Amino acid sequence: MGFPTGDDLANAKMWMNGKIIPWADAKVHVLTHALHYGSGVFEGIRAYATEDGPAIFRLDDHIERFLLSGKVYGMEYPHTREELKEACMAVVRENALASAYIRPIAYYGYGRLGVHPSGLPIEVAVGAWEWGSYLGDEALEKGVRVALSPWRRIPPDALPVSAKACGQYLSSILGTMSVKKNGFHEALFLDHNGNVSEGSGENIFIIKDNVILTPHSGSSILEGITRDSVMTIARDLGYEVREKTLVMGDVFGADEAFFTGTAAEVTPIREVEYRTIGSGEPGPVTKEIQSVYLDAVRGRRPEYASWLTHVSPRTKTVEETA
Ligand code: PPE
């Protein structure tokens, strides 16, 4: 199943404000605050098929970031951490998904307009569907072609970049629209100082002389959970990993480069701004890290088992048991 459409809708389910509801009923009013001002926060989480059924990757960390993002924008969710985790499991279970992309969102709802959001309801919803390769069918295997966004990343003194807020994706939208029109798979952003920042929905890593480098948190990046997982995996494999300021010259001179993100997983970068990275093929270090990551998320690496939350089977209601 791709993004649920047509026939899928007949049975697809969403979690909204504490209840499982039909997909088609998960609606908002056009005068919802978040639609006008981008006043929402969200998460992207993946569940993978494992030998023991679907398991959600780093669920606790995603829910933690979801709560922190909300806190930045003054949203007190009317749900506990445990209820939010259960909501993520419920959408996988209720849609009978073997693997899934899970999208929690919280936003200022309908009440009145005007920028200041006081007194507005906080709506929380979670959807799930199967989402294959984010940057194209052959992206994981063959790598992607990247161009620079003509728009720079939002500086950290303009918006708190550690919060995953809806409004800041306008920057990502402008960047991808610009580079996709020219046939590239993804946009790479510079920060307000002209240093390398991140992709429209991914963090970037480069490899030079077997050392793995990635922009540090001061370069207007969302500190990705996949980025963190990959740093752990790389160090466990014996590589030196450094977070530092990177400039475009570092990217052009790299032996290898790749993107990380929940949706993009570990995607090799084969070209940036018409320049081949390394040999132009996904490099050996990238492939090694990608392979461990894709195994870890599927429960094939016992050392990373604590990153997985297995989706428990639905407990039957009293009526169903009777
Ligand atoms: N930077 C940005 C701007 C970003 O959106 C993401 C995730 C990351 C870095 C990587 O973060 P993490 O997923 O925690 O490793 N982007 C999400 C949304 C993509 C979308 O198009 O929507 C995602 O990967 O789910």
Side-chain angles (χ1 to χ4, degrees), residues 42-45 62 65 101 103 131 134 153 164 169 172 198-203 222-227 260-264:
F42 69 98
E43 271 306 314
I45 313 175
H62 280 284
R65 188 170 67 188
Y101 183 83
R103 169 56 56 89
W131 201 358
Y134 181 61
R153 219 60 183 145
K164 198 167 163 62
Y169 281 81
S172 292
E198 60 178 354
S200 73
E202 310 86 3
N203 293 114
L222 178 76
E223 286 182 82
I225 291 167
T226 320
R227 173 181 180 271
T260 64
T262 298

Coordinates of all heavy atoms in Angstrom, one line a residue, residues 42-45 62 65 101 103 131 134 153 164 169 172 198-203 222-227 260-264, ligand 1:
F42 N 5.4 17.9 14.2 CA 5.1 16.5 13.8 C 6.3 15.6 13.9 O 7.4 16.1 14.2 CB 4.6 16.5 12.3 CG 5.6 16.8 11.2 CD1 6.2 15.8 10.5 CD2 5.8 18.2 10.9 CE1 7.1 16.2 9.5 CE2 6.7 18.5 9.9 CZ 7.4 17.5 9.2
E43 N 6.1 14.4 13.7 CA 7.2 13.4 13.7 C 7.0 12.5 12.5 O 5.9 12.3 11.9 CB 7.1 12.5 15.0 CG 7.8 13.0 16.2 CD 9.3 13.3 15.9 OE1 10.0 12.5 15.2 OE2 9.8 14.4 16.2
G44 N 8.1 11.9 12.1 CA 8.1 10.8 11.1 C 8.8 9.6 11.7 O 9.9 9.8 12.2
I45 N 8.1 8.5 11.8 CA 8.6 7.3 12.5 C 8.4 6.1 11.5 O 7.4 6.1 10.8 CB 7.8 7.1 13.8 CG1 7.7 8.4 14.6 CG2 8.4 6.0 14.7 CD1 6.8 8.3 15.9
H62 N 11.5 9.4 19.4 CA 10.6 10.2 18.5 C 9.5 10.9 19.4 O 9.2 12.0 19.1 CB 9.9 9.3 17.4 CG 10.8 9.1 16.3 ND1 11.1 10.0 15.3 CD2 11.6 8.0 15.9 CE1 12.0 9.5 14.4 NE2 12.2 8.3 14.8
R65 N 11.0 13.8 21.2 CA 11.2 15.0 20.4 C 9.8 15.6 20.1 O 9.7 16.8 20.0 CB 11.9 14.6 19.1 CG 12.3 15.8 18.2 CD 13.2 15.5 17.1 NE 12.6 14.6 16.1 CZ 13.2 14.1 15.0 NH1 14.5 14.2 14.9 NH2 12.5 13.3 14.2
Y101 N 5.1 3.8 7.7 CA 5.6 5.1 8.1 C 4.5 5.7 9.0 O 3.3 5.7 8.6 CB 5.8 6.0 6.8 CG 6.4 7.4 7.2 CD1 7.7 7.6 7.3 CD2 5.5 8.5 7.3 CE1 8.3 8.8 7.6 CE2 6.0 9.7 7.6 CZ 7.4 9.9 7.7 OH 7.9 11.1 8.0
R103 N 3.0 8.9 11.2 CA 3.1 10.4 11.2 C 2.2 11.0 12.3 O 1.0 11.2 12.1 CB 2.6 10.9 9.8 CG 2.3 12.4 9.7 CD 3.5 13.3 10.1 NE 4.7 13.0 9.4 CZ 5.1 13.6 8.2 NH1 4.3 14.5 7.6 NH2 6.2 13.4 7.6
W131 N 5.2 3.3 3.3 CA 6.0 4.3 2.5 C 7.3 3.7 2.1 O 8.1 3.4 2.9 CB 6.2 5.6 3.3 CG 6.4 6.8 2.4 CD1 6.5 6.9 1.1 CD2 6.6 8.2 2.9 NE1 6.7 8.2 0.7 CE2 6.8 9.0 1.8 CE3 6.6 8.8 4.2 CZ2 7.0 10.4 1.9 CZ3 6.8 10.1 4.3 CH2 7.0 10.9 3.1
Y134 N 12.0 6.8 -0.1 CA 11.6 8.2 -0.1 C 12.2 9.0 -1.3 O 11.5 9.9 -1.8 CB 12.2 8.8 1.2 CG 11.9 10.3 1.5 CD1 10.6 10.7 1.7 CD2 12.9 11.2 1.7 CE1 10.3 12.0 2.0 CE2 12.7 12.5 2.0 CZ 11.4 12.9 2.1 OH 11.1 14.2 2.4
R153 N 19.0 27.7 4.9 CA 18.2 27.1 6.0 C 17.8 28.3 6.9 O 18.6 29.3 7.0 CB 19.1 26.1 6.8 CG 18.3 24.9 7.3 CD 17.7 24.2 6.2 NE 16.9 23.1 6.6 CZ 15.8 22.7 5.9 NH1 15.3 23.4 4.9 NH2 15.1 21.7 6.3
K164 N 10.6 20.2 15.5 CA 10.2 19.7 14.1 C 8.8 20.3 13.9 O 7.8 19.7 14.1 CB 10.1 18.2 14.1 CG 10.2 17.6 12.7 CD 10.5 16.1 12.8 CE 10.1 15.4 11.6 NZ 10.8 15.8 10.4
Y169 N 9.0 23.8 7.3 CA 9.1 23.0 6.1 C 8.8 23.9 4.8 O 9.0 23.4 3.7 CB 8.2 21.8 6.2 CG 9.0 20.8 7.0 CD1 9.0 20.8 8.4 CD2 9.8 19.8 6.4 CE1 9.7 20.0 9.2 CE2 10.6 19.0 7.1 CZ 10.6 19.0 8.5 OH 11.3 18.2 9.3
S172 N 12.0 23.9 3.2 CA 12.2 22.6 2.4 C 11.4 22.6 1.1 O 11.9 22.1 0.1 CB 11.9 21.4 3.3 OG 12.7 21.3 4.4
E198 N 21.8 20.7 5.8 CA 21.1 19.4 5.7 C 20.3 19.4 4.4 O 20.2 20.4 3.7 CB 20.2 19.2 6.9 CG 19.1 20.3 7.1 CD 18.2 20.1 8.2 OE1 18.2 19.0 8.9 OE2 17.3 21.0 8.5
G199 N 19.7 18.3 4.1 CA 18.8 18.1 3.0 C 17.4 18.7 3.4 O 17.1 19.1 4.5
S200 N 16.4 18.6 2.5 CA 15.1 19.1 2.8 C 14.4 18.3 3.9 O 13.6 18.8 4.6 CB 14.2 19.2 1.5 OG 13.8 17.9 1.1
G201 N 14.8 17.0 4.0 CA 14.2 16.1 5.0 C 15.2 15.1 5.5 O 14.9 14.0 5.8
E202 N 16.5 15.5 5.4 CA 17.6 14.5 5.8 C 18.8 15.3 6.4 O 19.0 16.4 6.0 CB 18.1 13.7 4.6 CG 17.1 13.1 3.7 CD 16.6 14.0 2.6 OE1 17.1 15.2 2.5 OE2 15.7 13.6 1.8
N203 N 19.6 14.5 7.2 CA 20.9 15.0 7.6 C 21.9 14.5 6.5 O 21.6 13.5 5.9 CB 21.2 14.5 9.0 CG 20.4 15.2 10.0 OD1 19.6 14.5 10.7 ND2 20.5 16.5 10.2
L222 N 18.2 19.8 11.9 CA 17.4 19.1 12.8 C 18.3 17.9 13.2 O 18.8 17.2 12.4 CB 16.1 18.5 12.1 CG 15.2 17.7 13.0 CD1 14.4 18.6 14.0 CD2 14.2 16.9 12.2
E223 N 18.5 17.7 14.5 CA 19.4 16.6 15.0 C 18.6 15.3 14.9 O 17.9 14.9 15.8 CB 19.9 16.9 16.4 CG 20.9 18.0 16.4 CD 21.4 18.2 17.8 OE1 22.3 17.4 18.2 OE2 20.9 19.1 18.5
G224 N 18.8 14.7 13.7 CA 18.0 13.5 13.4 C 18.3 12.3 14.3 O 19.4 12.1 14.8
I225 N 17.2 11.5 14.4 CA 17.4 10.3 15.2 C 18.1 9.2 14.4 O 18.9 8.4 14.9 CB 15.9 9.8 15.7 CG1 15.4 10.9 16.7 CG2 15.9 8.4 16.2 CD1 14.0 10.8 17.1
T226 N 17.9 9.3 13.1 CA 18.7 8.4 12.2 C 20.2 8.8 12.2 O 21.1 7.9 12.2 CB 18.2 8.5 10.7 OG1 16.8 8.5 10.8 CG2 18.6 7.3 9.9
R227 N 20.4 10.1 12.2 CA 21.8 10.6 12.3 C 22.5 10.1 13.6 O 23.6 9.6 13.6 CB 21.7 12.2 12.4 CG 23.0 12.9 12.7 CD 22.7 14.4 12.7 NE 23.9 15.2 13.0 CZ 24.3 15.6 14.2 NH1 23.7 15.1 15.3 NH2 25.4 16.4 14.3
T260 N 20.8 10.8 5.8 CA 20.1 10.0 6.7 C 18.8 10.6 7.1 O 18.7 11.9 7.2 CB 20.9 9.8 8.1 OG1 21.1 11.0 8.7 CG2 22.2 9.1 7.8
G261 N 17.8 9.8 7.4 CA 16.5 10.3 7.8 C 15.6 9.2 8.0 O 15.8 8.1 7.4
T262 N 14.5 9.3 8.8 CA 13.6 8.2 9.0 C 13.0 7.8 7.6 O 13.0 6.6 7.3 CB 12.4 8.7 9.9 OG1 13.0 9.0 11.1 CG2 11.4 7.6 10.0
A263 N 12.6 8.8 6.8 CA 12.0 8.4 5.5 C 13.1 8.0 4.6 O 13.0 6.9 3.9 CB 11.2 9.6 5.0
A264 N 14.2 8.7 4.5 CA 15.3 8.4 3.5 C 16.2 7.3 4.0 O 17.0 6.8 3.2 CB 16.1 9.7 3.3
Ligands
PPE1 N1 16.3 17.1 8.8 C1 15.1 17.4 8.4 C2 14.8 18.8 7.9 C3 14.1 16.5 8.4 O1 12.9 16.8 8.0 C4 14.4 15.2 8.9 C5 13.4 14.1 8.9 C6 15.7 14.9 9.3 C7 16.7 15.9 9.2 C8 16.1 13.6 9.8 O2 15.5 13.3 11.1 P1 15.2 11.8 11.6 O3 14.1 11.3 10.8 O4 15.0 12.0 13.0 O5 16.5 11.0 11.4 N2 12.4 14.2 7.9 C9 11.1 13.5 8.1 C10 10.0 14.0 7.2 C11 10.2 13.8 5.7 C12 8.9 14.3 4.9 O6 9.1 14.5 3.7 O7 7.9 14.4 5.5 C13 11.3 12.0 8.0 O8 12.3 11.5 7.5 O9 10.4 11.3 8.4

